[in-house]
Every structure is written in C-alpha cells, then in structure tokens.
Amino acid sequence: MRISGRMALAPALAGLLLLVLTPATQAATLTTSRLDDAVLDELNFARARPAEYARELRRELRDSDDPAAVEDAIDFLERQSPLPPLKGDRRIAAAAYQHTAAQGARGDVGHGATGGLGQRLRGQGVWAGLSAENISYGYDDPREVVRQLIVDSGVPSRGHRRNIFATGYQLAGVSCGPHRAYGYMCVIDFAGALAAR
C-alpha cells in the first residue's frame, strides 16, 4: 500500500501540533495549580492573622456592595483567635477538582447531591469524620476568592466563614478552574477527624 504525500505528512503535523500545544496546556495547568496554592495560602493567612485581615477589609469598606456584611465580617475577625494553618492534601484537592471539572463545564452552581462531598472524599481514600465545602464563583484572584467567602454576603448563616475558621478541620484541598456561566470558580474542601484505613 502506497501512502500519498499528504497522508505521509499527517503524523508529522500531528506531532508538531502536539509540541506547539503542550506548553500552553502546561502553562494553564501551572497557573491553575498556583491559584489553588495561593487560595490555600490566603485562607491560612486569614486564619493565622484575623485581626490583620479585619484591618484590610476595613480599608475596602467604602467600595463594598454590602457594607453591613463586611462590617459583620470585620467584627467577627476582630474577635477571632488565631488558628493553625490548614495543611494542603492532594487527595482532598482531587475531590475538589472532581466537583470543579463537572460543575464548571455545565455552568452549574451549588454543592451537588446530599452526601456528594463525602462520596468524593472516600473515592480519593479520605474517610473524614468532619467535612465541609466552600465554593466561590466569579473570581480568579486568591484574595477575592477568600474575601468573598469570609464576608459571605447573602448567606445569613455565614456558613462559608464558619467553615474557614472551624477548629475541627486540619486539612484542605483547593481546585480552581473555568466556569461556563461565571468565568471562574474555586472549590475548597475541608476535612478533619480522619479515620485511619
């Protein structure tokens, strides 16, 4: 069987295309990975230095869409004792990634079905006695992601803030990525009281 000139070039062109696209794909992955790490660093900064975080929020108070929620966050942070950092865990980050990948592609919002977080964690080999999840939509800046969750505007229970400052969680995993409706999203999964398996 004889291969025509065009067909003979196809594998070479495919290889060249792969070489050209690979750096862009790697850059996107590194950027997302760095954002994931930066969000965890920002969470840990807020946990370790809540009074300093309150001062930063106070400087932004005038520009807020919801000054009452920002004041509420400032009051909380000024009373909050410093906490130890959350340790990043790749298994928990993988569970967060599953949610980011599925939800971002569809443009969905929310935490999914009841028990979904527990199932995702167990699927990654994490059996947590305590777990929680925060999701931020619309921000790709670590400071804005964490600020949104600490201020917790529109959430009367301030559940996202409570998760960040809960003493029962020792581990966290972060996954940020594209979202069809909001542009970007970050899922932060928390775990504590891990059972040995």
Side-chain angles (χ1 to χ4, degrees):
M1 177 175 180
R2 188 162 192 261
I3 298 175
S4 73
R6 286 185 187 172
M7 288 186 73
L9 285 177
L13 289 175
L16 182 58
L17 185 60
L18 182 62
L19 287 173
V20 170
L21 291 178
T22 300
T25 303
Q26 288 174 341
T29 302
L30 288 174
T31 301
T32 301
S33 176
R34 286 186 194 128
L35 178 58
D36 299 348
D37 293 343
V39 168
L40 184 58
D41 289 345
E42 186 73 15
L43 282 171
N44 283 329
F45 173 77
R47 284 173 56 96
R49 297 150 101 180
E52 189 173 335
Y53 212 87
R55 286 191 295 276
E56 289 182 17
L57 286 181
R58 188 166 300 287
R59 285 192 293 272
E60 301 169 5
L61 186 57
R62 276 180 286 185
D63 301 327
S64 172
D65 293 338
D66 189 350
V70 176
E71 274 293 347
D72 183 63
I74 291 167
D75 291 344
F76 171 88
L77 291 165
E78 289 175 340
R79 292 188 316 272
Q80 175 66 41
S81 298
L83 296 172
L86 296 165
K87 182 179 178 203
D89 185 286
R90 63 177 174 70
R91 301 166 304 162
I92 299 170
Y97 173 78
Q98 288 176 324
H99 200 53
T100 302
Q103 204 176 66
R106 293 188 306 256
D108 294 342
V109 296
H111 298 284
T114 302
L117 172 58
Q119 289 173 356
R120 284 187 279 118
L121 289 172
R122 286 188 298 278
Q124 297 299 324
V126 177
W127 281 263
L130 300 169
S131 62
E133 182 172 72
N134 285 357
I135 306 175
S136 168
Y137 298 96
Y139 297 102
D140 63 357
D141 175 85
R143 173 110 170 75
E144 290 301 318
V145 168
V146 174
R147 181 190 180 284
Q148 177 192 34
L149 296 167
I150 289 175
V151 171
D152 227 1
S153 178
V155 182
S157 70
R158 306 294 194 229
H160 301 108
R161 183 191 307 157
R162 282 194 336 238
N163 290 341
I164 292 169
F165 292 97
T167 58
Y169 303 123
Q170 298 83 35
L171 303 174
V174 179
S175 175
C176 302
H179 189 275
R180 195 173 79 193
Y182 290 99
Y184 230 75
M185 67 180 289
C186 287
V187 175
I188 305 162
D189 289 340
F190 303 89
L194 267 60
R197 290 275 174 166

